[in-house]
Amino acid sequence: MRHDLPAIVLFGAAALTPLVIRDGFLLDGLVLILLWGAVSGAWNVAGGYAGQVSLGHSAFFGLGAYSAALLATRFHRSPWLGLLVGALLATVAGLIIGYLSNRLKGPYFGLATIAFSQVLLIVASRWRGFTSGSEGIPVPFRPGFWTLGFSSKVPWVYLILALAVGIYLVARYLETSRPGYQLAGVREDEDAAEALGIPCRRLKVAAIAASAALTSVCGGLWAQYVGFVDPFYVFSVDLSIRFALNSIIGGIGTAVGPFVGSLLITSLETYLRATFSDFKAGLIGIYLIIYGCLLIVVVRFVPQGLVGWLGERLRAVGRYARA
Amino acid sequence: MGAVPQLVISTVLLGGIYALIAVGLTLIFGIMRVVNFAHGEFLMLGMYLAFWAFALWGLDPYVILVVAVPIFFGIGLLTYALVMRGVVKASHNVQIFTTVGLSTALQNAALVAFTGDFRFVRPWHSGVVIRLGEAAFNLSQVVAFAVAVLFTAALVAFMKWTRAGRIMRATAQDVEAATLMGIDTDRVYRLAWAIGLVCVGIAGVLMSPLYSVYPTAGLQFVLLAYVVVVLGGLGDMIGALLGSLIVAAVEVIGSYLFGSAWKEVIYFVLFIAVLVFRPAGLFGQRGAETLGA
Amino acid sequence: MLELESVTKRFGGLTAVKDVSLRAQAGEILGIIGPNGAGKTTLFNVISGFYAPDGGHVRLDGRDISGLAPHHVCGLGLTRTFQLVKPFGNLSVLDNVMIGALTRLRAVGAAREEARRVIATCRLEAFADSRARSLPIGLRKRLEVARALATRPRLLLLDEVMSGLNATELVEMIGILRRLHADGLGLIVIEHIMAAMMRLAQRIVVLHHGEKIAEGRPDEISRDPRVVDAYLGEEFVLADA
């Protein structure tokens, strides 16, 4: 339970915030922090826990976003159904990618996933008949719970918080369960794990598929929240890197890491956007430059991320105190 | 069969340029065993170099070519010292995210500095069309091809016949033995990196009259370069040349049959297919184990 | 229990293992020795499923397991260790062994208990919470054995588990292995140095250039002229323990 303390504090604070803060802009920032944290947490299932660093997770995010948007606009179904359809599609896509790239190590897996996400981008942006091509799809706002049409940000905060907590719990499950431990073995040394009776390929593929499904749910909810699906954004490599960035900064392979990372990164971004909205286009580039540099520095010097680093410091203090 | 001569010439011309991009990449990969996710960004920088020289001072890209060599060599040394040193021995994650971070930083530096507007370099020769029987091609394409071939040949000769080249190849084959022989592997990596960037920077300059210039121009070419490099066998230069021709052929013929809109899909699919089914490349064995074959 | 019939493995032009046949009975300690490059580890790789044989068959309890995936082979009761040890570096010793135990036990709690038992058997209790990466080579080798043991094998394949150990560690390891054998576990042990093998094995197979050149009791092997020939120039290797 002590292990979950940081998460309890984080999620608890998030839950209490709407009671105290009414400002729409700040609540929007909170929703985004939780959402990007959730999707980074979903990425982390494959990237951190299974050791399969994907640079093409936007593929699954986009699948979820498009499923939700298309089901709502073309088929006039509830976006909740869209979430389910998206999750199914993403699971299949994840199984295929996982199976095909099973033998690819490290950067090669990353390359394959980039290629996959770009194929989807091209298809989505060219298929005028079905996906409205490069124009994207505006997601209609229809008030009501089943249409995910909320006029206030508050329900969104709690909905996305529930998603975030769910993904956090999935990560915790991976830290304490049999498949989770076996996955850790696969991540550490696949040959050794295989020799010990662990079905490595099956576990890796399952992790990728699960990660894909969760990512797509995030994408579907995001589409409803933001109201517009643009293929060039939703399938971009930049977005994929974003998912990884939060986890690496916060602590790859920890359950709360992605959320801590998102807190930092998304807050920074929201703040910069608000303060310097005049220079918008230029500034967007600047903070991305910062992220690029952060990535280089953190992955080399603080590979365990902020959460890992803090954890070590606290343990060291604890040892000192006890001595 | 009127289209065949045109297709063949287009393939050869395109293949030459791809070869220059790929040869730099295969050098970096072959010697350092690191996937450079930022390779396309240096291509993009080469294109911008040509654009600004042309826009500000009216300098023809082919003049810039001469200056580009030391410029990109310097950029190579700088980025190696700041970012790449030590990456070779680091974990997979460090290798991936160091060049990914570099890619993000460079792309957005270009975006901030140059804005996202599409730019065009149109020197006098980009409009000159040469006809050979039923085939037509652009003077810029021919020059790009010629320079690319010359440069690649020079590089292959360098690797094969000079002492520095032999040292680099030795390091690529067996790092431990090289170290034991007194070779400073850090310098070898730095040289490989810098030469690799020179190749791709020059490719960018050569390609500027032929393609639009914008901050994310590098992405499609880097994936394409990886298709070539994986097809040809990682670290295998001759393989990279042959791989370039194959990829160029697929692109040219694919465009002809399906239209250019879908040609990108073709080479992404080709890429995934090669990675999955022939990670050792069509000709080579080396590097396959690193891929996980 | 384990039967190899004319097993052959080629890598391009090189035949690493050529027409090797042998039998390992349940509960016996079989030794495999040979000079470096004799094909011993390749043989292990073929038996355990990391390579499929190019010729011949591998049978476990009569069932043909040639080319089965390694995790499947482990499930059938055969676990191997690696010559260059492969600990799960960032995990604790306890977690390392527990992951082995999870192959047979579904419950994490039960697996942890089992892991503690195995750790005690291998005299690693003092290091249970240490990170595997921080262990010196001698302890890493013991961890390698413990982890494999946790999978409850009927046949354990140990690849040069004694090389790199100092005299004390060697005595401890041999003691552990003898205890395991007394409990009914079958062992196939690859060793490069004959002296260690003499103390342990009941029967020895000698490989040279991928072929089996001799088989028999330790005292027979040490006198066999073909074996002496293969180790020519390495007389110290044949020195009695």
Side-chain angles (χ1 to χ4, degrees):
Chain A
M1 265 313 269
R2 196 182 50 173
H3 191 121
D4 294 308
L5 198 59
I8 293 176
V9 167
L10 224 67
F11 294 134
L16 292 173
T17 306
L19 303 175
V20 178
I21 292 181
R22 301 285 152 162
D23 184 339
F25 175 77
L26 289 176
L27 287 181
D28 174 66
L30 180 60
V31 171
L32 288 177
I33 289 174
L34 289 171
L35 187 66
W36 296 130
V39 72
S40 297
W43 176 91
N44 200 25
V45 167
Y49 289 101
Q52 300 293 293
V53 174
S54 149
L55 296 171
H57 250 55
S58 63
F60 309 121
F61 189 81
L63 272 176
Y66 266 99
S67 300
L70 286 173
L71 249 79
T73 53
R74 270 190 184 277
F75 303 104
H76 307 294
R77 294 267 193 238
S78 160
W80 289 98
L81 189 63
L83 291 183
L84 192 62
V85 170
L88 281 170
L89 286 174
T91 303
V92 171
L95 288 171
I96 294 175
I97 281 278
Y99 186 83
L100 285 181
S101 54
N102 178 61
R103 280 175 316 174
L104 297 177
K105 292 188 187 156
Y108 306 99
F109 180 73
L111 282 175
T113 55
I114 292 180
F116 181 64
S117 69
Q118 296 311 288
V119 168
L120 288 184
L121 191 159
I122 295 170
V123 169
S125 63
R126 302 266 165 92
W127 200 355
R128 308 201 123 264
F130 189 53
T131 63
S132 304
S134 53
E135 290 163 8
I137 303 180
V139 180
F141 176 84
R142 290 192 278 264
F145 182 74
W146 293 112
T147 50
L148 279 174
F150 306 123
S151 34
S152 141
K153 304 272 184 220
V154 177
W156 278 110
V157 171
Y158 289 113
L159 182 61
I160 304 296
L161 180 60
L163 176 69
V165 171
I167 290 182
Y168 174 80
L169 291 174
V170 168
R172 288 293 282 129
Y173 171 75
L174 286 179
E175 287 175 356
T176 53
S177 68
R178 179 177 184 254
Y181 273 108
Q182 292 186 319
L183 199 60
V186 173
R187 177 182 79 228
E188 288 285 319
D189 193 318
E190 201 171 322
D191 282 339
E194 186 76 28
L196 289 172
I198 297 175
C200 295
R201 181 164 73 183
R202 211 183 304 162
L203 279 173
K204 281 197 295 182
V205 173
I208 294 171
S211 173
L214 290 170
T215 303
S216 92
V217 169
C218 297
L221 286 171
W222 174 88
Q224 279 296 135
Y225 180 70
V226 157
F228 187 78
V229 179
D230 167 9
F232 297 104
Y233 177 71
V234 117
F235 284 118
S236 66
V237 180
D238 273 343
L239 199 58
S240 298
I241 294 176
R242 179 54 165 306
F243 303 158
L245 175 71
N246 287 337
S247 293
I248 290 187
I249 303 282
I252 193 173
T254 67
V256 79
F259 296 99
V260 170
S262 173
L263 179 63
L264 243 73
I265 302 280
T266 313
S267 308
L268 181 66
E269 184 174 335
T270 313
Y271 171 73
L272 285 176
R273 267 222 174 98
T275 322
F276 300 106
S277 52
D278 301 325
F279 308 107
K280 203 163 162 231
L283 210 70
I284 288 178
I286 287 180
Y287 72 72
L288 284 171
I289 298 176
I290 296 175
Y291 293 168
C293 299
L294 255 182
L295 205 49
I296 295 174
V297 169
V298 172
V299 82
R300 182 89 71 109
F301 300 112
V302 198
Q304 68 276 51
L306 205 60
V307 168
W309 182 81
L310 275 174
E312 278 169 22
R313 290 279 148 267
L314 288 172
R315 269 193 293 274
V317 166
R319 271 197 299 270
Y320 180 72
R322 261 178 271 132
Chain B
M1 268 310 199
V4 174
Q6 177 70 65
L7 291 177
V8 169
I9 295 198
S10 296
T11 297
V12 169
L13 292 180
L14 194 60
I17 302 184
Y18 286 170
L20 193 55
I21 303 176
V23 124
L25 193 60
T26 214
L27 181 68
I28 292 176
F29 183 78
I31 310 275
M32 296 171 78
R33 286 276 188 270
V34 170
V35 171
N36 181 14
F37 285 95
H39 208 68
E41 274 57 60
F42 294 103
L43 181 84
M44 176 265 295
L45 287 178
M47 291 171 112
Y48 268 109
L49 176 68
F51 169 75
W52 287 113
F54 186 71
L56 293 177
W57 301 306
L59 292 170
D60 191 284
Y62 302 135
V63 170
I64 291 302
L65 215 54
V66 176
V67 186
V69 174
I71 288 181
F72 276 95
F73 196 80
I75 291 177
L77 294 180
L78 186 66
T79 48
Y80 186 83
L82 285 178
V83 172
M84 294 302 292
R85 173 173 287 144
V87 161
V88 176
K89 297 187 186 69
S91 69
H92 270 166
N93 276 4
V94 172
Q95 287 182 8
I96 295 173
F97 288 106
T98 299
T99 55
V100 165
L102 188 60
S103 159
T104 303
L106 287 175
Q107 258 183 46
N108 289 284
L111 182 63
V112 168
F114 309 139
T115 82
D117 294 339
F118 277 44
R119 315 283 192 168
F120 305 94
V121 182
R122 291 284 174 262
W124 62 272
H125 44 78
S126 65
V128 175
V129 176
I130 303 177
R131 290 187 194 283
L132 207 65
E134 288 170 11
F137 41 93
N138 202 293
L139 181 58
S140 298
Q141 279 179 303
V142 178
V143 178
F145 172 76
V147 175
V149 167
L150 277 170
F151 209 86
T152 307
L155 189 60
V156 172
F158 170 82
M159 288 301 286
K160 199 157 179 196
W161 288 310
T162 64
R163 186 161 170 274
R166 269 197 294 268
I167 290 178
M168 288 170 83
R169 279 186 295 137
T171 310
Q173 288 204 10
D174 192 330
V175 173
E176 266 185 52
T179 319
L180 288 172
M181 307 276 290
I183 293 176
D184 183 349
T185 52
D186 188 55
R187 285 180 69 183
V188 168
Y189 297 145
R190 191 174 58 190
L191 189 59
W193 174 259
I195 295 180
L197 292 199
V198 167
C199 290
V200 75
I202 300 237
V205 172
L206 290 173
M207 287 164 74
S208 59
L210 302 166
Y211 295 89
S212 1
V213 182
Y214 51 97
T216 51
L219 178 63
Q220 62 172 136
F221 294 110
V222 76
L223 278 166
L224 189 138
Y226 273 110
V227 180
V228 172
V229 160
V230 169
L231 258 185
L234 294 147
D236 184 344
M237 291 217 181
I238 306 293
L241 294 178
L242 293 168
S244 306
L245 277 176
I246 294 176
V247 170
V250 169
E251 184 174 326
V252 166
I253 297 172
S255 266
Y256 178 70
L257 293 175
F258 303 114
S260 64
W262 293 96
K263 75 169 190 259
E264 288 157 5
V265 179
I266 295 173
Y267 55 67
F268 284 132
V269 171
L270 180 65
F271 179 67
I272 296 177
V274 170
L275 268 185
V276 172
F277 298 112
R278 286 294 305 224
L282 296 179
F283 320 106
Q285 281 287 324
R286 211 153 40 106
E289 28 9 288
T290 326
L291 274 179
Chain C
M1 185 166 59
L2 177 74
E3 185 195 335
L4 264 68
E5 185 194 313
S6 301
V7 167
T8 301
K9 181 64 192 169
R10 275 176 234 109
F11 296 106
L14 172 72
T15 306
V17 170
K18 190 168 167 189
D19 216 20
V20 170
S21 298
L22 59 85
R23 274 210 159 103
Q25 311 295 344
E28 78 164 330
I29 301 185
L30 176 71
I32 300 183
I33 63 169
N36 278 329
K40 310 186 289 290
T41 297
T42 307
L43 196 64
F44 262 22
N45 283 334
V46 171
I47 297 174
S48 60
F50 281 89
Y51 297 147
D54 292 314
H57 298 275
V58 180
R59 291 196 189 88
L60 187 64
D61 294 328
R63 174 187 171 159
D64 193 335
I65 63 169
S66 323
L68 277 187
H71 69 265
H72 201 156
V73 173
C74 178
L76 292 172
L78 191 157
T79 308
R80 57 87 55 97
T81 65
F82 293 88
Q83 182 179 354
L84 291 169
V85 292
K86 292 166 162 286
F88 297 138
N90 290 308
L91 306 180
S92 69
V93 164
L94 181 61
D95 282 344
N96 265 266
V97 181
M98 185 172 80
I99 290 177
L102 281 171
T103 299
R104 296 270 176 225
L105 300 168
R106 301 211 84 88
V108 172
R112 197 169 277 131
E113 283 314 303
E114 173 80 354
R116 289 200 193 278
R117 270 195 296 272
V118 172
I119 284 176
T121 308
C122 296
R123 304 244 203 278
L124 283 168
E125 304 104 312
F127 308 97
D129 294 320
S130 310
R131 268 222 194 145
R133 212 173 36 194
S134 68
L135 296 181
I137 186 69
L139 291 173
R140 285 192 190 198
K141 294 249 172 185
R142 240 190 277 169
L143 174 59
E144 189 89 354
V145 175
R147 200 174 57 178
L149 205 55
T151 65
R152 294 207 186 139
R154 286 175 298 132
L155 187 59
L156 191 55
L157 269 55
L158 299 170
D159 196 342
E160 296 210 21
V161 83
M162 290 184 269
S163 66
L165 300 183
N166 62 39
T168 327
E169 291 166 337
L170 204 56
V171 168
E172 284 245 40
M173 182 65 87
I174 292 181
I176 292 171
L177 296 182
R178 283 226 177 96
R179 260 197 308 280
L180 294 176
H181 174 237
D183 288 337
L185 182 61
L187 299 173
I188 301 183
V189 184
I190 288 179
E191 270 311 321
H192 177 56
I193 299 174
M194 190 93 120
M197 191 65 91
M198 299 285 268
R199 296 213 227 160
L200 209 50
Q202 295 165 307
R203 234 175 9 109
I204 296 180
V205 162
V206 186
L207 291 185
H208 189 45
H209 290 323
E211 295 182 65
K212 182 170 84 171
I213 61 169
E215 180 174 359
R217 289 195 322 270
D219 53 303
E220 294 169 346
I221 292 294
S222 65
R223 287 194 299 265
D224 190 318
R226 289 167 299 174
V227 177
V228 176
D229 231 16
Y231 278 96
L232 198 65
E234 305 187 49
E235 307 98 17
F236 69 93
V237 157
L238 295 174
D240 249 36

